[in-house]
Amino acid sequence: MGFIRPSPQPVEPTVFLRLPLRERVRILSTHWVDDGFGTPRVLHIVYIVKMLGLYFGVGIWIASATSGIEFTDIGSWYHNIVVYQKLAVWLMLLEVIGLGGAFGPLCGHFRPMIGNIRYWIRPGTIRMAPWGSRVPLTGGDERTWFDVALFVGVLAGLVYPLAASAEPVPSAFLPAGTGTQELIAPHCFLPVLVLMPLMGLRDKVVFLAGRSEQYLPIMLFSALMGSIGSTADFIDLVVVFKIVICVVWIGAGVSKFGAHFKNVVPPMVSNSPAMPGRALKRLHYRDAPDDLHPSRVAWFMAHAGGIAVEIVVPVTLLLTTSAPVALIGALCMLAFHIFITSTFPLAVPLEWNVFFGFITIVLWVGFDPGTYSVWNFSQPLLLVPVLALLMFGPVLGNLRPDLVSFLPSMRQYAGNWASSVWAVKPGVEERLNELPGVENQIDQLQRMIPTPAPGPTARASPTRPSVRSPTRHSPHGSRQRHACSRPTGWLAARWSRSAGSTRRDGAPPSRPRAPEP
């Protein structure tokens, strides 16, 4: 692939449209091995600017404008716990707006590259109540003005702690060797802690898009434990922050147990623009392009590089009191998140990896593990409700996956991925263009690279309607992907009309189905 142009097409679209379905899938799959999504390099630059500029750069600037850290003093970023709070709130706000993991072509948004807020600020769009038949006043599937007001309240509830000036922690309440510390006032978190769960009862997609299962606990503990009255109080708060991040790591690692995860690594590596040469990509397949089963290298990367790192290292970090061990462990997790980010996976929250990589250094290098350790927690019995709260979603979600999404269940790689397939009668999809200021996904791609009209063998019959996603009017763009058996960028643009597309409601998409000839 080039800097401006996508990777070259292996088959002319006019020829491809007339091929049988299985042959089209074979072409797409083998093309992915060497070229991944196939997008031009400039797109990766856009994502890098968004990650390091919009999220991290602006986030640090906001933290410096509302606290005592210096924007130009990099060292100050790592030694003040308020940076942890500010970056978490800022990232949740970006995710809810649609500028996080749901942004851009890697999540099926082409022109415009943002969804989320464009749907959720508009009454009449679709919403999904998780327990509409069980919880009063939450049933229905149409967004009302009340839902819009609730969504605006969520945005305001996130802006409030972000814009609030941090309050200094009295030096008398800080352990020896700890520099100046500040915290967001506990009451600043109350609006979002009330409004986001209410929003989630009315529309689970907004709740999941904001990654509430990860960021709300940070805000909840900041509200409950943020009133510092002794040295032990501050140590306890930092230790709980460490526990939160470790639970997320370990939960993700546990979800990778089994034979399924080794199948994730090869296509992820194939999509990496940083991977030198095609030979290294093909090492992860048994015998590409003839046999695309994962190789032993892929197995090692999945289970040693994935599961072991996300379980063994976090447990070590949580229990160690040694600064050198903590430094090594923190650098391992930083490298882990840098690797994931470098592959630019589809619909993955890249900013989350930036946040976790940076905060790992803050929590284990910026704060002495000999002081800020679980062994120094002032009230050990208090760890029981802390862990119970953090484990409630994963335990319930694994016992009752019908009630809890895969995100709060910490089953990111172990199934329970809610999805939806929309069967649209021919001619109905075009009516979505009548809505002001929106455009469906297929037409976004057509406007970028016009596709020849599909031949008779590629059209759906009246009894077998094409499967497409009502991208524009549906609110599920928060986690929407363009899925064409994982097509490359140019394939997505040229072949979407023949192969169809699917979408999802806060989870990875179901396997797309193209109309058979």
Side-chain angles (χ1 to χ4, degrees), residues 246 249-250 309-320:
C246 285
W249 277 327
I250 295 171
V309 170
E310 280 195 295
I311 296 179
V312 175
V313 177
V315 170
T316 302
L317 285 172
L318 197 57
L319 300 179
T320 188

Side-chain angles (χ1 to χ4, degrees), residues 11 20 31 53 65 81 121 123 125 138 170 193 197 212 240 261 273 275 296 299 348 369 387 417 420 455 501:
V11 180
H31 191 269
I81 199 64
I121 207 71
T125 54
T138 64
L193 287 173
S212 302
V240 167
F261 184 62
M275 196 62 60
R296 292 183 179 180
W299 184 94
V348 166
L387 291 173
W417 287 14
S420 62
S501 62

Side-chain angles (χ1 to χ4, degrees), residues 40 64 146 154 169 203 244 246 376 390 478 485 500:
S64 66
F146 174 76
V154 168
V169 178
D203 188 358
V244 170
C246 285
N376 292 331
L390 293 175
S478 63
S485 295

Side-chain angles (χ1 to χ4, degrees), residues 407-481:
L407 290 174
S409 302
M410 296 292 174
R411 292 173 59 88
Q412 296 93 327
Y413 296 95
N416 189 25
W417 287 14
S419 62
S420 62
V421 176
W422 297 64
V424 181
K425 182 179 179 181
V428 173
E429 185 177 352
E430 285 69 18
R431 294 182 57 190
L432 296 174
N433 293 333
E434 299 172 8
L435 298 172
V438 291
E439 184 178 45
N440 70 58
Q441 188 183 55
I442 302 300
D443 290 333
Q444 291 179 44
L445 294 169
Q446 277 288 87
R447 184 156 49 87
M448 295 168 63
I449 304 179
T451 304
T457 59
R459 292 186 182 275
S461 66
T463 57
R464 185 183 296 161
S466 60
V467 179
R468 295 182 182 173
S469 61
T471 305
R472 300 173 43 207
H473 193 51
S474 170
H476 309 322
S478 63
R479 292 288 169 193
Q480 163 200 347
R481 294 185 194 174

Side-chain angles (χ1 to χ4, degrees), residues 486-508:
R486 297 289 190 263
T488 58
W490 74 268
L491 294 175
R494 292 183 177 271
W495 298 343
S496 54
R497 282 197 178 275
S498 66
S501 62
T502 60
R503 60 170 305 116
R504 60 179 188 167
D505 57 0

